[in-house]
Amino acid sequence: MRIERVILREIRLPFRNFFETSFGRTYDKEAILIEVVSEGLSGWGECVACEGPFYSYEDRVTAWHVLKSYLAPSLVDPRGTDPDHFLDHAPAVRGHPMAKAAVEAALFDLQARQMDTPLWLLLGGTRERIPCGVSIGIQDGTSQLLDKIHSEKAAGYQKFKLKIKPGWDVEILDLVRREFPDIPLMVDANAAYSAMDFPHLKTLDQFGLMMIEQPLFYDDLYEHSRLQEQIETRLCLDESIRHNRDAELALRLKSCRIINVKFGRVGGLREAIRIHDLCLAHGVPVWCGGMLETGIGRAHNVALSTLANFKLPGDVSASARYFERDTIWPAVEVDKEGFITPPSGAGIGYEPDREWIERITIQQEMVS
Ligand code: OSB
Ligand code: MG
């Protein structure tokens, strides 16, 4: 395909509710949307780099820089651009996986639209229904937390992930288990604990959790493998898995028994699928994580989640949980049994809401 132009847009969209993790609270979604244009068709991607370098070193400023100065210019190549190999031949950018993933996602959307095929089929997906869970942030108090779980349960969600940190863990799990003895429950610490906390983390075994996500250092595999030896609950890694090689090492070291796959974190859909395939070969289930995406990124998550080894409910949930009005139409919806049905339209299968996107754009750049 020949990309004629690339449009980068930085958008800001208020969340319906703040989202708090062990590294802080956020009120607005900030994202970079990338649109690639060829022969009258557009492909879209969303960059999940956060407003600051908290989840990983990338943020909206570094991602904008890398996209604008390096990735976008090399997309506009008169010799053509190959979605399957763009990242291999991309200018020698080291790291910056979230910026790269957004570009690749837009190219895949465009390719699927050119072929008039749903992206999820192009990626090799087979699931006609995607099981969904919710990620529930740290709340101001326990009554707010219990209310949230009640309403998400009523909406049909199949997995409840609670963000924890020291001081917001055992006590709240005790309360939650008293009120909801049987719900599929898990926790995510976003690396808030250290090796000194092993005895404390072991007390979480009593709550029958599906898994504990990323309890230790964001870049660690070794301490997690030591913890996994000592704890009954399955560990799941998020931040520590930056690419397929990390996944290989994690499985070899037995650092986890589940992997949270986010294609932004690992540098693209192709790399995400490599990790998916590796885990499938090792009998390790994966699930699709989320980065509080607007509809465009969410749609790519929906497509990825249709692959066979996404056996556990993901963090991919309905648009309406996050935004009054999303960047796509129709919004992503979850049915009463807690499933998303992948769309039948070409590409990501949802249409970018251009009028709305224009209104929430705070910075724009065209490369041609
Ligand atoms: O650790 O999975 C995480 C959001 C931002 C950064 C990191 C994480 C999260 C989530 C939210 O858990 C998942 C979602 O609802 O998109
Ligand atoms: Mg996580």
Side-chain angles (χ1 to χ4, degrees):
M1 56 176 67
R2 260 203 60 189
I3 306 299
E4 294 142 24
R5 61 180 186 280
V6 180
I7 301 135
L8 299 174
R9 295 177 177 90
E10 186 181 347
I11 59 167
R12 184 179 297 139
L13 191 57
F15 284 122
R16 291 181 64 173
N17 301 295
F18 68 80
F19 191 80
E20 185 172 326
T21 63
S22 59
F23 42 71
R25 187 178 276 199
T26 169
Y27 293 89
D28 296 294
K29 176 66 191 176
E30 289 175 353
I32 299 168
L33 302 183
I34 174 166
E35 177 184 1
V36 293
V37 183
S38 175
E39 296 173 10
L41 286 176
S42 287
W44 290 77
E46 175 173 335
C47 179
V48 297
C50 302
E51 65 276 16
F54 313 129
Y55 168 82
S56 70
Y57 65 83
E58 286 180 281
D59 70 15
R60 62 192 175 83
V61 178
T62 67
W64 183 266
H65 164 65
V66 169
L67 282 162
K68 179 184 153 199
S69 307
Y70 297 96
L71 298 175
S74 69
L75 274 171
V76 187
D77 184 337
R79 292 165 299 177
T81 301
D82 174 2
D84 282 312
H85 297 288
F86 174 74
L87 291 183
D88 304 336
H89 307 309
V93 174
R94 291 193 178 172
H96 301 279
M98 293 173 174
K100 289 174 179 167
V103 171
E104 195 209 41
L107 292 174
F108 278 141
D109 178 33
L110 177 59
Q111 185 181 39
R113 286 178 194 270
Q114 286 179 343
M115 295 166 68
D116 200 21
T117 303
L119 175 62
W120 64 274
L121 287 174
L122 189 67
L123 296 180
T126 51
R127 277 176 201 282
E128 313 242 319
R129 300 169 90 203
I130 300 158
C132 303
V134 286
S135 173
I136 301 177
I138 293 167
Q139 304 292 315
D140 283 330
T142 50
S143 65
Q144 286 93 331
L145 177 66
L146 296 175
D147 287 350
K148 272 250 150 68
I149 301 174
H150 271 292
S151 61
E152 304 290 17
K153 187 164 176 276
Y157 285 102
Q158 306 184 39
K159 183 189 79 176
F160 303 85
K161 160 169 146 180
L162 309 183
K163 292 290 186 177
I164 57 166
K165 63 177 181 181
W168 181 268
D169 50 19
V170 176
E171 299 76 8
I172 62 134
L173 284 169
D174 217 40
L175 278 171
V176 169
R177 269 302 183 220
R178 243 171 255 214
E179 186 118 345
F180 305 96
D182 313 310
I183 54 167
L185 188 65
M186 64 168 289
V187 294
D188 182 2
N190 288 110
Y193 299 88
S194 72
M196 299 205 313
D197 299 314
F198 283 16
H200 180 67
L201 289 167
K202 276 159 74 171
T203 67
L204 300 185
D205 274 340
Q206 65 184 296
F207 298 110
L209 302 174
M210 296 171 79
M211 69 194 92
I212 302 172
E213 181 177 345
Q214 195 73 38
L216 308 174
F217 318 98
Y218 67 88
D219 56 357
D220 169 80
L221 293 175
Y222 175 68
E223 294 294 345
H224 280 99
S225 79
R226 287 211 313 129
L227 178 62
Q228 184 65 91
E229 245 170 38
Q230 297 176 33
I231 198 168
E232 269 170 49
T233 310
R234 293 185 290 180
L235 297 185
C236 169
L237 289 178
D238 175 358
E239 284 91 326
S240 288
I241 307 295
R242 299 162 301 172
H243 37 55
N244 190 47
R245 287 181 296 105
D246 278 342
E248 283 175 348
L249 189 53
L251 297 187
R252 194 162 294 178
L253 290 174
K254 300 186 167 60
S255 309
C256 63
R257 299 191 198 155
I258 298 173
I259 289 180
N260 167 343
V261 175
K262 294 178 181 170
F263 76 89
R265 188 194 70 224
V266 303
L269 289 161
R270 269 196 328 155
E271 189 72 4
I273 293 170
R274 279 194 200 104
I275 295 173
H276 164 276
D277 294 349
L278 172 80
C279 289
L280 183 62
H282 283 78
V284 169
V286 302
W287 52 277
C288 186
M291 290 293 290
L292 310 170
E293 289 89 345
T294 82
I296 289 164
R298 190 167 301 280
H300 284 96
N301 284 338
V302 168
L304 182 62
S305 301
T306 61
L307 272 75
N309 197 32
F310 283 89
K311 292 207 174 87
L312 299 167
D315 278 353
V316 184
S317 46
S319 298
R321 289 188 64 241
Y322 305 85
F323 311 108
E324 299 283 354
R325 181 173 172 183
D326 204 345
T327 53
I328 49 166
W329 197 89
V332 174
E333 283 180 5
V334 173
D335 66 29
K336 285 277 168 280
E337 277 96 52
F339 290 93
I340 293 174
T341 303
S344 53
I348 56 174
Y350 301 85
E351 280 316 304
D353 183 344
R354 287 183 181 272
E355 185 201 319
W356 182 233
I357 289 171
E358 203 167 302
R359 275 163 62 189
I360 58 177
T361 295
I362 53 180
Q363 185 181 185
Q364 180 167 328
E365 187 80 35
M366 187 163 85
V367 180
S368 59

